[in-house]
Amino acid sequence: MEYPKHLFAPTRSAALAHLESFIKFAAVQDATQRDAHSAGQPHVSMLSPYLRHRIVTEEQVIAALQQSHGTASEPFVTEILSRAYWKGWLQMRPKVWRDTQSGVIAGLRRLETDRDLSATYEAAVDGRTGIAGFDHWARALRDGGYLHNHQRLNFASIWIFTLHLPWELGADHFMRHLLDGDPASNTLSWRWVAGLHVPGQAFLATPDAIARQSGGLHLPQGLAQTSVAVQGGVTPPAGPCPQGGAWDHKLPTALLLHEEDLSPDWLLEAGLRPLGTAFLLAPSGRSPQPVSAVITDFLRGAVRDCADRLSSDIGPYHKPFIGRGAVDALVTWAIQTEAMQVITPFAPVGPVASLLDSLDTRLAAENIRLIRAMRPYDAAAWPLATDDFARFRAAVRGLI
Ligand SMILES: Cc1cc2nc3c(=O)[nH]c(=O)nc-3n(C[C@H](O)[C@H](O)[C@H](O)COP(=O)(O)OP(=O)(O)OC[C@H]3O[C@@H](n4cnc5c(N)ncnc54)[C@H](O)[C@@H]3O)c2cc1C
């Protein structure tokens, strides 16, 4: 099944339309149906590009599901909670993201010198391996920026165990093409498939499962029969979970929005009336290689939609600062607003957070505070991701 671009219009109203049509199905689904993805029916929500950038939030989706279906919505609420699990887990182990980035660079260097590896890599990303299913998903990913969870699992497993490509390059390829490409969900899912998240527990794709999940469309031959443990990727112990900053309601304030969170409604409802608003986008930080135009177009559209939607509440707003020079330009913008503090939604581990670290230092030199406001949902859920998902789910249950 191909997923055409128009399925993901970068607007809040498109996100709510996805949610509405999914809600009609949510209660009658069970886990088996979620696995099917060839019948062209919405067994999954396809909300991930919206949740990823918080065009709609997890809380909104959970509340809507619970309101419509009560306890019957639990399997899907559990899926949505996985996002907070991976986010919290990485937040307490940021080294895993840095190590993965180093692994990508090392993998790209290997491609320069190892011709066989390079040929396999090129065939994999272009969808020319001859492996049924895999090639189809590779092309769907490049064209539409979305794959079903099972397609992702099978793709990653074949990449690692059949094609023997470095897992970091696969994770990087996803980050360059997925509309929902996320440092936490993506990196940690690839690690999970590789058997690094739970040592010894890798995910092995099988022809039977792929045939079943695709309604008989794909029956791949020659897949690896065993998963040879991937080396490296030692899991560091959980460090402290960061906390958000508190803002001073009396100080003149500017608002900085970014691709990690385009729903600042909770800040506006708490009384924030910014002197001005800027947007920061950092798609090029997702990968050392160029990132798909499908992603950058989506992000630019999402920013436009956010600015239009909130134009009466966010003061004069600036077109997005993007790429190199964004930090310098943001410092100039902040000074021009005459704000004494800049509030920004807390950005989890990833390229936006790195830029905010630099911005923090630069603004401090101008006597302007950068306040990273953390949503109560994140503040409550993330610290619970110290261990495995089962424990997280049990602990987080009381919160929702
Ligand atoms: C190798 C691999 C890479 C992945 N990379 C990403 C990624 O970069 N970004 C991303 O959001 N998800 C990623 N996932 C998780 C999952 O595949 C997608 O969230 C899901 O397929 C998105 O489609 P959906 O919105 O229709 O999901 P639904 O099944 O409708 O789930 C609803 C929402 O719950 C969340 N969710 C569901 N399953 C997971 C999961 N296993 N992990 C984290 N969140 C989940 C997502 O926000 C999703 O939108 C990855 C999974 C694998 C195996």
Side-chain angles (χ1 to χ4, degrees):
M1 178 181 172
E2 304 292 343
Y3 298 102
K5 286 177 205 168
H6 63 77
L7 274 175
F8 298 107
T11 61
R12 162 81 69 116
S13 56
L16 295 176
H18 273 257
L19 177 57
E20 198 181 301
S21 58
F22 179 64
I23 276 182
K24 292 189 190 137
F25 290 86
V28 293
Q29 306 296 309
D30 62 27
T32 323
Q33 286 171 305
R34 182 175 185 260
D35 290 356
H37 49 77
S38 61
Q41 290 178 352
H43 294 295
V44 289
S45 68
M46 299 180 83
L47 277 168
S48 53
Y50 303 107
L51 287 167
R52 159 69 179 94
H53 305 101
R54 286 193 158 154
I55 295 168
V56 289
T57 66
E58 291 107 300
E59 284 167 289
Q60 266 178 291
V61 175
I62 290 172
L65 285 167
Q66 289 181 331
Q67 200 180 354
S68 299
H69 301 301
T71 51
S73 62
E74 207 160 300
F76 290 97
V77 170
T78 301
E79 297 302 336
I80 287 157
L81 289 175
S82 340
R83 182 168 196 273
Y85 171 68
W86 290 131
K87 281 295 192 195
W89 195 96
L90 190 64
Q91 208 56 52
M92 291 184 276
R93 300 165 185 86
K95 184 174 181 302
V96 171
W97 169 245
R98 292 195 299 272
D99 288 351
T100 305
Q101 294 300 94
S102 305
V104 174
I105 304 279
L108 291 173
R109 289 213 183 101
R110 274 183 69 196
L111 294 184
E112 285 169 14
T113 53
D114 185 334
R115 280 192 184 183
D116 288 345
L117 191 75
S118 174
T120 308
Y121 174 82
E122 292 302 333
V125 299
D126 288 348
R128 292 184 284 101
T129 62
I131 300 174
F134 185 94
D135 289 348
H136 183 83
W137 306 322
R139 289 192 296 270
L141 173 64
R142 285 178 75 138
D143 294 345
Y146 175 87
L147 292 177
H148 183 285
N149 186 57
H150 274 265
Q151 296 171 332
R152 298 179 199 214
L153 283 165
N154 291 322
F155 185 102
S157 176
I158 294 169
W159 178 284
I160 298 167
F161 300 118
T162 298
L163 298 173
H164 303 292
L165 288 164
W167 74 267
E168 294 96 331
L169 288 185
D172 179 61
H173 183 62
F174 270 23
M175 286 300 283
R176 295 174 61 211
H177 293 282
L178 280 176
L179 280 171
D180 61 37
D182 182 276
S185 295
N186 186 57
T187 307
L188 303 178
S189 296
W190 274 86
R191 286 180 95 253
W192 186 85
V193 172
L196 293 167
H197 187 68
V198 183
Q201 275 187 36
F203 176 82
L204 193 63
T206 65
D208 286 354
I210 292 172
R212 195 177 59 250
Q213 289 156 5
S214 65
L217 189 64
H218 307 302
L219 185 58
Q221 315 257 311
L223 298 192
Q225 309 275 313
T226 53
S227 50
V228 179
V230 170
Q231 300 299 312
V234 177
T235 299
C241 199
Q243 296 177 344
W247 46 296
D248 184 337
H249 288 242
K250 295 192 204 83
L251 289 182
T253 305
L255 175 63
L256 171 59
L257 297 176
H258 48 69
E259 70 201 51
E260 299 290 342
D261 193 330
L262 291 170
S263 288
D265 307 61
W266 67 290
L267 293 169
L268 301 170
E269 282 158 20
L272 174 63
R273 290 293 169 268
L275 295 166
T277 295
F279 292 89
L280 170 65
L281 296 178
S284 59
R286 294 182 187 199
S287 167
Q289 302 192 78
V291 167
S292 159
V294 175
I295 295 175
T296 44
D297 289 351
F298 182 88
L299 291 178
R300 285 181 186 279
V303 161
R304 248 191 330 268
D305 180 68
C306 175
D308 289 349
R309 185 173 71 81
L310 300 172
S311 59
S312 54
D313 297 319
I314 60 173
Y317 56 86
H318 204 287
K319 67 179 171 37
F321 296 105
I322 180 164
R324 274 170 201 267
V327 170
D328 285 346
L330 277 168
V331 173
T332 308
W333 161 79
I335 293 169
Q336 281 169 357
T337 63
E338 300 185 0
M340 293 176 72
Q341 62 185 357
V342 174
I343 296 192
T344 192
F346 190 95
V349 170
V352 172
S354 303
L355 287 178
L356 292 183
D357 287 344
S358 312
L359 182 64
D360 196 358
T361 313
R362 295 283 308 283
L363 287 179
E366 304 294 338
N367 285 324
I368 302 173
R369 296 162 63 204
L370 182 69
I371 313 287
R372 303 179 210 208
M374 190 183 279
R375 286 174 179 278
Y377 174 89
D378 295 339
W382 289 355
L384 304 176
T386 47
D387 212 309
D388 60 20
F389 182 67
R391 279 180 221 202
F392 172 79
R393 192 177 48 190
V396 87
R397 197 177 290 262
L399 294 174
I400 52 163

